[in-house]
Amino acid sequence: MSTTSATTETPLDAIESIFKDLRQTFNSGKTKPLTWRRQQLERLYEMCDKEKDAFGAAANTDFHRPNSETLIFDCGSIRNECTHALNHLDEWASDEKISDALAYATLDKYVHPEPLGIALIIGAWNYPFLVTLTPLIGAIAAGNCAILKPSELAPHSAAIMATMVARYLDPSCFRVVLGGVDQTQALLKGDIDKVFYTGSTAVGKIVMKAAADKMIPVTLECGGKSPVFVADDANLEICGRRLAWGKTINCGQTCLAPDYVLCSKATESRLIPYVTKAWQEFYTTNPANSDSYCHIVNSRHFDRVKRLINQDKVVHGGQTDSNQNFIAPTIMSDVTADDNVMQEEIFGPLLPFITVRDEQEAIRFINSRDKPLALYVFSSNKDLAKRVINATSAGSTCVNDVIFQIAPPSLPFGGVGASGLGAYHGKYSFDAFSHRRTVVYAPNWTEVLLVQRNPPYTAKKTAF
Ligand code: NAD
């Protein structure tokens, strides 16, 4: 089979027939048996195992992404999710028997999860396989057909996904559409029953409006500025290493990356050397030459991130090279809410420090902005962490680490407010692609009890 070229786009006039094919398949009931769903999940697992090096090479071509980052964060995580879904599919897909108050005890009743139909999964480029294929696990497990629309900004990753999905999964149920805004707009107008979108908040709003026109459910996995509050009592050596890791894997192009740090001036001056020491260990003193250091996805984003650097405030890094979209791990100090770097999600390897006196000032700062996808707290005091959690709102929180809350498939992953709507992973993915249908069997013998509800409404009948 030939490999799809990185520049291939799905012609717009081909989209209608994709919908026709998938609708025909869905209506045939092919996707409903659990044996079929299990087999497709096993094939997806196999694809992310056997083809992981091809996936790694594609993402490396797209943005100098280290192969290990694709192998661990994309292929490994997707396989974990597949295993979890395979282990729990019977339980998730079974009808939930409901026991109820005496008044309804005569009714046989349950909640039946049914597939929504044709799901459209729109992916972002930054973890190109993870954010496209993980939702697909939920769509398959719940018994749907699906169209994947990977991001055009990682064209080699998108193309290899199209090739491999066609090779490994049932093509009458799962298709990949390649292209950009035009293809996405055409898909949003098509015969879909659910949209699962990962990407920026701005495009998330466009997707939600399109879904509103059709009155179909959406899941929006967006981004935002995820703050870190470091209390004075935190273990700063551990905190420094973990921030250094979370800020620069994928070159900071991670939706859950720690965006900026709030801490006291004294803590900042002790913490920064630990961050920079870890970066030297990870990438040497010359990260531009490191194969373990990813680059910025394209020149547009390179220019955008570069504009966020205020060289007067740089205390580490600050070097850039437009020839290879390289931006060094960079720390800025004495940053204020008015600085450019605080006006948008950074999505790059810049770590700004903002001074706050204490936890209360940090809480006020966080609450004055959009609800973030993640909020991180570093402290040795669990009560302090809990106070910050209870006084704020965020998609998720990890105390004393960053990003790691995404790993367990048993936990919901999603945003709140501007950072997203709905959640997925594990059972939450299954639910995201299911309708919970109430089913009640009413026995005939109860007719004698139901005379009460029938007209005429005599005084005796309405005397409650
Ligand atoms: P993006 O919004 O530019 O693109 C995402 C998808 O939307 C792409 O497939 C693209 O083709 C499509 N798209 C773009 N413009 C469109 C339009 N006008 N109409 C219809 N479709 C359109 O996002 P991106 O730059 O690829 O991703 C970066 C953002 O995604 C960041 O904000 C990041 O935090 C977020 N993100 C979130 C998660 C999460 O799980 N919450 C994961 C990864 C990335």
Side-chain angles (χ1 to χ4, degrees), residues 122-126 131 149-152 180-181 184-185 197-200 203 206 221-224 255 301 345 347 373 413:
I122 305 171
W125 54 267
N126 60 334
V131 302
K149 213 303 284 172
S151 171
E152 68 280 19
V181 175
T184 316
Q185 294 286 359
Y197 165 81
T198 301
S200 63
V203 176
I206 297 173
E221 298 287 340
C222 302
C255 57
H301 278 286
E345 180 182 1
F347 229 51
L373 187 59
F413 172 65

Side-chain angles (χ1 to χ4, degrees), residues 188-221:
L188 285 168
K189 289 194 188 99
D191 180 19
I192 46 175
D193 301 292
K194 160 86 192 183
V195 191
F196 190 107
Y197 165 81
T198 301
S200 63
T201 300
V203 176
K205 289 177 187 174
I206 297 173
V207 170
M208 193 163 172
K209 280 182 191 144
D213 273 348
K214 293 177 164 287
M215 235 178 99
I216 56 169
V218 285
T219 302
L220 302 175
E221 298 287 340

Side-chain angles (χ1 to χ4, degrees), residues 229-235 359 376-389 397-400:
F229 172 58
V230 183
D232 291 336
D233 67 354
N235 179 327
E359 143 205 352
Y376 301 111
V377 183
F378 283 83
S379 171
S380 305
N381 179 347
K382 273 196 165 179
D383 291 337
L384 182 154
K386 195 136 205 186
R387 283 199 300 274
V388 176
I389 292 166
T397 282
C398 191
V399 178
N400 292 330

